[in-house]
Amino acid sequence: MPATEPASPPAAPGSAAPAAPPAGHEGGSSAAILRVLRITLHVGFAVLLAVAAARLLLAGDPHPLRPALMGGAALLAAAYLAGTILEKRFSASGQGFDPRRYGLPWLATVTVLWAVLLAGSADFSWLAFPLFFLHLHLLPRRAALVGIAVMTAAVIGAQWAAGGLPVPHAAVVLGPALGAAFSVVTGLAYRALYLEAESQRRAADELRRTRAELSAAQHNTGVLAERTRLAREIHDTLAQGLSSIVLMARAAEKSLQDGDTTTARDRLRVVQDTAAGNLAEARSFVRGLSAPQLRDASLVDSLRRLCAATEAAVAARGKVLRCRFELDGVPVELPPPHAVALLRAVQASLANVTAHAQASAAVVTLAFLGNEVTLDVYDDGIGFDPAAQVAEVRPEADGRGFGLGSLAARVAALHGTLELQSAPGEGTVVAIRLPLPGPGTP
């Protein structure tokens, strides 16, 4: 195919057929029209060649070159049919050689054979019209128009010579000229339709590719969100519980070594309770349910129990931590995501208090203030530099350091705010503020 062609030619003998246009009304209509025009082109060529051969055979006065002309007609039919079959096979299965490489040689062969037949008999004149379409399909527009003009002049010359008149009749000139003009207009319209179908096909391919990429991105986002959820739940429940179990088990072991079986028994009971609670938590978040503490009690009761359990766990390790819960305002029923987020925030905060703060007192304050709920967790421990802590919230290689980022993600997902107020030697306050959905808001 010529390099000057702006796009692949429409399906024609000797050229690759275009890919199927996109599904849908417009794409299906374009494909149907192109298919009908293609079939009409091939059938028209076959009918005109058969009519010319029949006239040559049935002529009352046998043509002196009839055997040679019949052989040439058969050769032309074979060349045209071979190009059509090879192009059809390649467009359907993609196998065999690419016919686009042989489009121009095939067109030249068919045109030369037609010219030879036209020189022998004017009956082959009308084969020029389907050849006009092939030239428009396979050649650049300017070259195709020049070729059509030459072929039209050849048809007029053959008709004039067959008439034997000194001056050609007007019909001999106007017929081929008007036929050529009609062929050019129709061929250009055909090409415009083909280019539109190709544009629709490319747009559909781009749409399918974009949809596939969007689907993959959504899948990856969902996988990442689920991984984040599991990591957050594991940190706020299992990791904290296992850490408590390890510390309590060590304390129980020391009590046994000291011969204090009563204290060891109490500490092992705390280990059992903690393990049972973590097992319930694990089963709960695997099923995507709310915290098990909230299924049997309100958030207020759950936080009060959590403070008592924390105080008891610290006492079982031989240390002292007064953990108190305070309620401000009239409690209202919170949406499950809000209740779970606040419960996890207190669990994580108290775990940090018992593990790092070296505090003697902690206060958990839950306040209902109209259209928002606030939570403050205060401890009188050693404190820290919040600027340094907030600047680096990525977890360490061993999994520690995940708590602040996890807590911030929970609060941000509910459009709330999280503030850390602390200083070395002055204790810590974790302050959370969550807006409550209005009436009718899920």
Side-chain angles (χ1 to χ4, degrees):
M1 184 181 115
T4 55
E5 277 289 289
S8 299
S15 64
H25 177 72
E26 294 183 0
S29 299
S30 299
I33 294 174
L34 290 171
R35 185 164 53 250
V36 170
L37 291 176
R38 171 181 175 171
I39 294 174
T40 302
L41 172 67
H42 297 337
V43 172
F45 185 90
V47 170
L48 291 175
L49 181 59
V51 170
R55 286 175 57 86
L56 190 62
L57 284 174
L58 300 177
D61 186 11
H63 196 288
L65 298 177
R66 184 167 64 181
L69 292 175
M70 292 302 298
L75 186 59
L76 176 59
Y80 191 95
L81 183 61
T84 302
I85 292 176
L86 291 176
E87 173 272 324
K88 180 64 176 177
R89 180 180 302 172
F90 181 82
S91 64
S93 63
Q95 299 178 353
F97 65 87
D98 188 346
R100 286 176 295 189
R101 298 174 52 189
Y102 305 94
L104 290 181
W106 175 86
L107 180 63
T109 300
V110 171
T111 303
V112 169
L113 289 174
W114 169 79
V116 171
L117 293 175
L118 181 65
S121 173
D123 291 333
F124 295 94
S125 299
W126 310 117
L127 283 172
F129 295 108
L131 292 179
F132 290 163
F133 289 101
L134 295 181
H135 280 72
L136 287 170
H137 298 335
L138 296 176
L139 294 176
R141 181 177 301 178
R142 182 174 299 179
L145 293 178
V146 172
I148 291 173
V150 173
M151 294 169 65
T152 302
V155 170
I156 293 174
Q159 293 289 333
W160 183 14
L165 299 176
V167 178
H169 194 274
V172 173
V173 178
L174 292 179
L178 292 178
F182 177 79
S183 299
V184 169
V185 173
T186 305
L188 294 178
Y190 180 30
R191 182 164 187 79
L193 181 63
Y194 165 75
L195 294 177
E196 179 185 358
E198 278 291 282
S199 177
Q200 293 176 356
R201 180 187 65 81
R202 287 192 294 270
D205 290 342
E206 181 65 24
L207 179 60
R208 285 191 291 270
R209 183 164 53 253
T210 302
R211 285 178 176 176
E213 294 174 353
L214 179 60
S215 177
Q218 290 176 338
H219 173 73
N220 293 336
T221 301
V223 170
L224 181 60
E226 182 62 13
R227 288 178 178 174
T228 302
R229 182 187 77 87
L230 291 176
R232 189 164 54 224
E233 295 292 344
I234 289 173
H235 174 272
D236 292 346
T237 57
L238 299 185
Q240 302 292 358
L242 291 174
S243 176
S244 177
I245 289 173
V246 169
L247 294 176
M248 196 61 62
R250 290 174 181 173
E253 182 181 15
K254 185 177 183 304
S255 298
L256 289 175
Q257 291 174 351
D258 295 339
D260 188 356
T261 57
T262 302
T263 302
R265 186 182 302 109
D266 292 340
R267 291 174 175 176
L268 288 176
R269 187 178 298 111
V270 173
V271 169
Q272 293 175 353
D273 293 342
T274 304
N278 274 257
L279 179 60
E281 292 281 5
R283 291 172 175 171
S284 177
F285 73 70
V286 166
R287 294 192 300 266
L289 302 177
S290 62
Q293 299 95 323
L294 298 176
R295 292 201 301 270
D296 302 327
S298 65
L299 175 63
V300 172
D301 292 336
S302 298
L303 294 182
R304 186 175 286 114
R305 292 176 184 176
L306 180 58
C307 288
T310 301
E311 185 173 318
V314 173
R317 295 206 302 265
K319 298 181 180 180
V320 176
L321 174 66
R322 296 187 304 277
C323 188
R324 185 174 75 257
F325 172 75
E326 295 183 356
L327 175 64
D328 186 6
V330 179
V332 298
E333 184 177 356
L334 298 177
H338 289 64
V340 172
L342 294 175
L343 176 63
R344 298 300 187 218
V346 175
Q347 287 176 324
S349 298
L350 291 181
N352 287 332
V353 170
T354 59
H356 309 296
Q358 302 177 22
S360 61
V363 180
V364 177
T365 303
L366 180 67
F368 294 87
L369 306 174
N371 60 351
E372 66 180 11
V373 59
T374 65
L375 174 70
D376 295 332
V377 181
Y378 162 77
D379 70 81
D380 62 354
I382 60 175
F384 62 93
D385 182 2
Q389 184 74 10
V390 173
E392 182 59 54
V393 297
R394 291 175 298 182
E396 300 175 9
D398 62 357
R400 293 178 300 173
F402 188 83
L404 182 59
S406 172
L407 184 56
R410 286 185 184 275
V411 173
L414 299 175
H415 308 288
T417 59
L418 168 66
E419 294 183 5
L420 289 176
Q421 301 174 7
S422 183
E426 297 184 7
T428 301
V429 176
V430 178
I432 296 175
R433 185 182 300 270
L434 295 179
L436 295 179
T441 303

